[in-house]
């Protein structure tokens, strides 16, 4: 089912969805029942679900960037997954199946463009698979949240969470709203409870509230190639390989996009910066944290050949094309160009195991007991976002008795 594929009309529709109707100065010193930290698709979907369930409570969503959903939520392949690659009956499979159904229903209700193009010519067919712009969907979640009364504040990077100091005589705010979330500029938001959906920074957000540093987030960059326009006829639907069960990555695949382009890939290599989308992007702290982590050291040693191969294919695109030719033999090196990249927040434990399931975490003490961290929301988090939001909201209600 095709809503639209015209790139001009698609861009115009995207422009109608507000990036953030509330600037960072909006009621910045006010108090809230629940603060949600992180404006990606999981944070936005969860904030939306919570405020729809509890319309009498006050909610604020804090995002460190100028705009919402610009990292993992805006740098993904745009696929609506069917869930056929996940272990039958597993949480990931159930959330993906339910989430895809909810996503299609939501897209139809909101009139958002998508295409149900399917996977699998002369292979395992998956007609339920589709494509969509997940950032557009994320912004729609944010609009729902704001229309329900929620406040969105951008350019607010949470750098500290602490108990509010003793209030002046007669001021009960410190008792009713005991948690203070401060940004790097010293601005403060007070609340009763906190939900963090930090994606690439979920481990650091956990640590500033006194929770465990593990599992650690290690960033993996995926570089895509793009098919030249005159060769788009080669790909009419999503083409995916059978994934390697040793890794959470799906391997190289062919993905049509809503703007008419076709992405090929990606590879998977260690990123030298958590938000490093270019080959030479580098951050000393991010790189040092990754290299000094025992879990990454074990992962590298156990998969050295595989890792070197991924790095090689990232530099020499001919090697990437060689793999892609297994699926479309007519493809040649002259048919492709270097394309965009994304960075995946991969949770890793100290033994070098890739954490491929959902992880929630609350700490101890006055602060930690009032904060719920979504430590890991693995792919297909976008497809599953509405189903994940229900699970997160259930967990928030259970932990904090909302």
């Amino acid at each position: 089912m095709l809503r639209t594929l015209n790139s001009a009309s698609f861009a115009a529709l995207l422009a109608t969805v507000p990036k953030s109707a509330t600037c960072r100065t909006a009621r910045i010193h006010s108090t809230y029942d629940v603060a949600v930290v992180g404006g990606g698709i999981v944070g936005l979907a969860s904030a939306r679900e919570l405020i729809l369930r509890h319309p009498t409570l006050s909610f604020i969503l804090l995002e460190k960037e100028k705009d919402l959903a610009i990292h993992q939520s805006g740098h993904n392949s745009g696929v609506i997954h069917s869930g056929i690659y996940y272990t039958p009956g597993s949480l990931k499979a159930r959330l993906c199946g339910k989430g895809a159904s909810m996503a299609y229903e939501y897209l139809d209700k909101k009139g958002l463009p998508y295409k149900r193009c399917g996977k699998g010519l002369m292979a395992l067919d998956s007609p339920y698979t589709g494509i969509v712009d997940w950032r557009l969907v994320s912004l729609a979640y944010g609009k729902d949240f704001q229309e329900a009364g929620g406040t969105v504040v951008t350019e607010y990077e949470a750098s500290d969470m602490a108990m509010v100091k003793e209030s002046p005589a007669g001021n009960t705010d410190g008792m009713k709203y005991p948690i203070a979330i401060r940004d790097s500029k010293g601005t403060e938001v007070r609340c009763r409870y906190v939900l963090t959906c930090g994606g690439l920074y979920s481990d650091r957000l956990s640590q500033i509230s006194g929770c465990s540093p593990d599992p650690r987030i290690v960033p993996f960059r995926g570089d895509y190639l793009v098919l030249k326009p005159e060769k788009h006829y080669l790909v009419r639907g999503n083409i995916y390989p059978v994934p390697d069960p040793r890794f959470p990555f799906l391997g190289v695949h062919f993905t049509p996009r809503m703007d008419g382009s076709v992405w090929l890939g990606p590879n998977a290599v260690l990123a030298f910066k958590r938000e490093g989308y270019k080959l030479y992007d580098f951050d000393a702290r991010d790189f040092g944290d990754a290299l000094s982590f025992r879990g990454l050291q074990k992962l590298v040693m156990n998969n050295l050949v595989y890792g070197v191969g991924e790095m090689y294919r990232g530099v020499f695109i001919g090697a990437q094309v060689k793999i892609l030719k297994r699926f479309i033999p007519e493809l040649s090196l002259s048919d492709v160009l270097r394309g965009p990249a994304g960075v995946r927040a991969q949770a890793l434990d100290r033994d070098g195991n890739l954490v491929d399931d959902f992880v929630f975490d609350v700490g101890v003490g006055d602060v930690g007991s009032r904060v719920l961290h979504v430590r890991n929301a693995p792919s297909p988090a976008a497809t599953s976002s509405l189903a994940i939001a229900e699970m997160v909201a259930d967990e928030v209600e259970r932990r904090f008795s909302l």
Side-chain angles (χ1 to χ4, degrees):
M1 179 177 181
L2 177 63
R3 303 290 304 197
T4 180
L5 273 181
N6 182 280
S7 59
S9 62
F10 180 69
L13 179 62
L14 179 61
T16 66
V17 182
K19 296 176 181 177
S20 173
T22 307
C23 67
R24 79 176 307 276
T25 57
R27 295 190 292 162
I28 203 67
H29 289 290
S30 295
T31 52
Y32 299 87
D33 291 303
V34 179
V36 179
V37 179
I41 194 167
V42 173
L44 289 164
S46 299
R48 172 186 177 274
E49 178 68 22
L50 282 167
I51 201 170
L52 292 178
R53 291 190 187 188
H54 302 279
T56 62
L57 299 182
S58 57
F59 291 84
I60 186 171
L61 184 140
L62 305 173
E63 166 56 39
K64 70 182 180 67
E65 303 291 354
K66 292 182 180 180
D67 299 323
L68 299 173
I70 67 170
H71 289 298
Q72 292 186 102
S73 305
H75 287 83
N76 56 65
S77 62
V79 175
I80 305 173
H81 292 284
S82 63
I84 60 173
Y85 354 84
Y86 311 121
T87 304
S90 67
L91 180 60
K92 286 182 69 172
R94 287 186 283 113
L95 286 175
C96 185
K98 181 179 180 181
S101 178
M102 295 174 74
Y104 281 126
E105 182 179 349
Y106 182 83
L107 296 172
D108 285 332
K109 180 179 178 181
K110 295 293 183 178
L112 297 176
Y114 68 89
K115 183 181 180 183
R116 192 175 298 186
C117 54
K119 282 187 201 142
L121 178 65
M122 297 173 60
L124 182 63
D125 187 29
S126 177
Y128 201 57
T129 298
I131 56 174
V132 73
D133 186 313
W134 283 117
R135 182 163 187 258
L136 180 67
V137 178
S138 301
L139 298 179
Y141 293 165
K143 184 179 180 182
D144 292 344
F145 174 70
Q146 290 176 298
E147 289 179 346
T151 299
V152 173
V153 176
T154 56
E155 297 184 83
Y156 194 102
E157 183 173 0
S159 60
D160 182 56
M161 298 180 195
M163 297 299 292
V164 174
K165 294 181 180 180
E166 187 175 344
S167 302
N171 187 337
T172 60
D173 281 356
M175 298 174 59
K176 187 175 181 181
Y177 305 99
I179 301 295
I181 305 174
R182 301 182 182 92
D183 71 359
S184 56
K185 299 177 182 178
T187 310
E188 182 176 286
V189 168
R190 296 183 179 184
C191 57
R192 293 169 57 204
Y193 303 107
V194 182
L195 168 68
T196 75
C197 302
L200 285 158
Y201 293 93
S202 60
D203 54 346
R204 292 182 184 172
L205 282 172
S206 180
Q207 290 180 69
I208 66 173
S209 68
C211 296
S212 170
D214 297 318
R216 196 76 57 87
I217 294 298
V218 177
F220 283 89
R221 191 184 71 254
D223 300 302
Y224 283 92
L225 304 176
V226 293
L227 197 60
K228 290 182 178 179
E230 62 269 23
K231 294 292 183 176
H232 285 178
Y233 71 89
L234 291 172
V235 181
R236 297 183 180 180
N238 292 276
I239 304 173
Y240 274 59
V242 176
D244 188 328
R246 296 173 300 168
F247 304 98
F249 313 111
L250 292 175
V252 295
H253 44 271
F254 298 74
T255 306
R257 301 280 296 176
M258 289 301 297
D259 61 4
S261 63
V262 179
W263 288 11
L264 318 176
N267 62 344
V269 296
L270 178 67
F272 301 148
K273 182 180 180 181
R274 293 201 179 196
E275 293 165 355
Y277 301 105
K278 298 178 181 178
L279 179 63
Y280 300 108
D281 283 345
F282 178 82
D283 181 271
R285 180 185 178 189
D286 292 347
F287 187 59
D289 282 352
L291 286 189
S292 63
F293 180 48
R294 175 184 172 187
L296 179 63
Q297 295 168 5
K298 286 192 172 184
L299 179 69
V300 170
M301 294 305 298
N302 292 336
N303 301 278
L304 187 60
V305 174
Y306 179 88
V308 170
E310 288 292 281
M311 294 176 65
Y312 180 81
R313 287 185 286 273
V315 175
F316 300 100
I317 62 176
Q320 188 90 309
V321 171
K322 184 177 181 180
I323 295 178
L324 292 164
K325 282 172 67 68
R326 298 175 185 172
F327 306 96
I328 300 182
E330 299 96 325
L331 189 69
S332 67
L333 180 60
S334 62
D335 296 332
V336 303
L337 300 169
R338 288 193 180 274
V343 179
R344 175 179 182 151
Q346 179 59 56
L348 193 64
D349 67 22
R350 289 184 174 273
D351 293 323
N353 299 311
L354 300 173
V355 180
D356 199 30
D357 207 348
F358 296 87
V359 178
F360 296 105
D361 184 23
V362 292
V364 296
D366 294 334
V367 177
S369 63
R370 287 180 173 267
V371 183
L372 174 66
H373 298 283
V374 180
R375 297 295 299 272
N376 191 44
S379 177
T383 300
S384 310
S385 56
L386 290 174
I388 292 172
E390 290 186 344
M391 183 176 69
V392 171
D394 289 344
E395 190 72 10
V396 169
E397 291 174 337
R398 187 178 72 84
R399 297 278 187 175
F400 304 138
S401 302
L402 290 185

